[in-house]
Amino acid sequence: MLDLVALTRLLDSGATAQKPQVVIDAQAEHLRSHNANVHRGVYALAQEADAAYDEARHRVAAFVGGDPRTTIFTKNVTEAINLVAYSWGRANVGPGDAVLITQMEHHANLVPWQVLCRECGAELRYLEVDERGELSLEQLDAELARGDVKLVAFAHVSNVLGTINPVAEIAARARAAGAVSLVDGAQAVPQMPVDVGALGADFYAWTGHKAVGPTGIGVLHGRAELLDAMEPFLTGGDMIASVDFQTVTWNELPYKFEAGTPPIAEAVGLAAAVDYLDGLGMERVRTHERSLTEYMLERLAEVPGLRVVGPPEAERRGALASFTLEGIHPHDVAELVDRGGVCIRAGHHCAQPLMRCLGVGATARASVGVYNERSDIDALVDALQAGREVFGL
Ligand SMILES: Cc1ncc(COP(=O)(O)O)c(C=O)c1O
């Protein structure tokens, strides 16, 4: 895909994906030839920018089976989740209510709910992660049966355990119990077919840069009735219908939630990214990455003292493996394999509560993308073995 990929063994797509040339070109071409602000100008160039932004929204929405009217561009998935926590949460969650999330959440899908509950006097409760790295639907039912859960928020795919959660099942149970559901799809959209309509969650959020798109753009899909009833998150230009000295009325969806100049070139880049992924075919992307994950799990099992966390079967997990290596701190592991030209992530992966559940401070994490091959995993395993020797293990 890129020179960089040819030179380095990049096994950190879970943090951010490398960008195909078509994405770089689409963004550059937009900036070079069609750059104007949107929803303001009457001149031809401004209308080109309007059309490009609008077209990008349609393409991005179609990629995941969403409706353009309820597809909102944000800065990233973090902002998309905050939008819901502020606009829906502040109006619908209060004392005596509960927000239910899971122990495997990224801070992006944890801290906004913690702050909401603290401010509104609600309780934040957690679905537990079992020893396989999975959630229990029985515990979900028991929590919902308490009758106080207003919102269930959970990751589609865990960025640490790799667990693929049963989104449709959880969303259906939440709805039957009168709770709203929100899914953090940051790790799912880049690697498997996602149809937000079929999944049936009330809110589904994801981030462009992990889906081979640009940084600076995220996406929130929401149920129209909920979005229509919500107050805006941020206010200012472009999100209004009319403003007087003391009063204001809001613009229609999706613009009500896009205050100020939106990420225009980024939207164009993201549209090129989803076209690229569509061209590969998301079923093929998933097959490729699942097979690499299976191979990675097999090869990592050869390294003495290495423990992978999360479900043991590749079909139950996304394209990553987080692990600890006895006798070597995960940061040292990442540094040692970097000497062999292999890039992996180490740390708490923005999931400190989950690290506590796992009984570790950090893990190393190798994650694969569309451009990886088996030889990248071989290089990782060779570098890990060499690293063990450096440590005299
Ligand atoms: C599961 C999950 N949620 C949320 C995020 C946050 O993404 P962003 O920083 O693009 O908002 C990440 C990124 O690491 C993630 O893996």
Side-chain angles (χ1 to χ4, degrees):
M1 177 190 270
L2 290 176
D3 298 346
L4 186 64
V5 178
L7 293 173
T8 322
R9 305 292 189 171
L10 289 165
L11 289 171
D12 196 21
S13 297
T16 198
Q18 300 304 317
K19 317 307 173 200
Q21 193 62 47
V22 284
V23 170
I24 298 167
D25 289 347
Q27 225 176 325
E29 173 55 17
H30 178 83
L31 291 171
R32 192 182 302 115
S33 309
H34 309 287
N35 178 53
N37 212 329
V38 291
H39 311 143
R40 288 158 174 82
V42 292
Y43 48 90
L45 187 65
Q47 285 177 12
E48 278 173 37
D50 280 352
Y53 186 60
D54 194 45
E55 164 76 10
R57 192 192 309 277
H58 278 76
R59 283 152 69 193
V60 168
F63 178 62
V64 291
D67 173 357
R69 197 175 91 86
T70 55
T71 296
I72 297 154
F73 285 135
T74 61
K75 191 170 66 183
N76 45 40
V77 67
T78 302
E79 187 180 88
I81 296 170
N82 272 277
L83 188 161
V84 178
Y86 278 87
S87 295
W88 182 87
R90 264 57 177 181
N92 291 284
V93 176
D97 292 336
V99 169
L100 184 62
I101 65 170
T102 85
Q103 289 176 336
M104 68 172 80
E105 296 315 308
H106 186 285
H107 297 161
N109 199 27
L110 188 159
V111 181
W113 307 119
Q114 204 181 88
V115 173
L116 170 74
C117 288
R118 199 164 58 212
E119 281 180 19
C120 299
E123 190 187 358
L124 181 61
R125 295 205 297 264
Y126 290 83
L127 290 177
E128 284 164 20
V129 169
D130 68 17
E131 63 291 342
R132 290 175 46 85
E134 295 189 296
L135 302 173
S136 142
L137 290 177
E138 287 71 43
Q139 197 199 355
L140 171 69
D141 287 342
E143 286 290 348
L144 292 172
R146 292 172 68 172
D148 57 356
V149 177
K150 281 296 180 80
L151 176 110
V152 182
F154 59 100
H156 191 160
V157 174
S158 160
N159 65 313
V160 176
L161 303 165
T163 317
I164 302 172
N165 286 315
V167 173
E169 192 61 50
I170 298 176
R173 290 180 192 213
R175 177 156 315 162
V180 160
S181 56
L182 176 140
V183 180
D184 172 357
Q187 295 290 341
V189 171
Q191 53 168 305
M192 58 186 62
V194 169
D195 181 338
V196 294
L199 290 173
D202 294 301
F203 296 103
Y204 192 102
W206 53 289
T207 206
H209 66 98
K210 293 185 202 282
V212 304
T215 53
I217 186 158
V219 189
L220 175 69
H221 308 276
R223 195 143 61 81
E225 310 88 89
L226 294 178
L227 292 173
D228 276 328
M230 280 156 58
E231 289 291 302
F233 171 40
L234 300 171
T235 56
D238 219 29
M239 49 72 64
I240 54 90
S242 79
V243 180
D244 209 335
F245 286 104
Q246 302 295 338
T247 55
V248 57
T249 56
W250 311 133
N251 204 341
E252 60 192 20
L253 291 176
Y255 314 107
K256 180 170 90 170
F257 291 106
E258 294 183 357
T261 300
I264 306 163
E266 289 77 5
V268 170
L270 182 57
V274 302
D275 281 354
Y276 175 85
L277 290 173
D278 252 343
L280 296 176
M282 287 312 291
E283 287 289 359
R284 277 180 63 215
V285 168
R286 171 68 184 146
T287 303
H288 172 70
E289 295 186 10
R290 186 181 46 209
S291 133
L292 283 180
T293 306
E294 199 165 4
Y295 184 64
M296 180 154 66
L297 294 174
E298 270 167 38
R299 294 287 340 256
L300 289 176
E302 294 169 17
V303 182
L306 190 147
R307 180 175 79 98
V308 175
V309 296
E313 310 87 358
E315 71 270 14
R316 296 184 75 90
R317 61 192 297 151
L320 61 87
S322 297
F323 58 91
T324 53
L325 188 51
E326 207 181 334
I328 316 183
H329 190 278
H331 283 124
D332 293 331
V333 171
E335 239 180 87
L336 285 166
V337 302
D338 185 41
R339 290 187 203 169
V342 182
C343 307
I344 61 168
R345 170 101 183 260
H348 54 62
H349 313 289
C350 299
Q352 286 180 340
L354 175 61
M355 293 293 123
R356 236 154 265 141
C357 298
L358 297 172
V360 296
T363 69
R365 183 188 72 185
S367 51
V368 300
V370 290
Y371 32 71
N372 286 115
E373 0 179 285
R374 284 180 169 219
S375 61
D376 299 322
I377 290 154
D378 294 335
L380 168 65
V381 172
D382 289 348
L384 286 169
Q385 300 283 24
R388 288 186 73 253
E389 278 169 30
V390 171
F391 270 66
L393 296 170

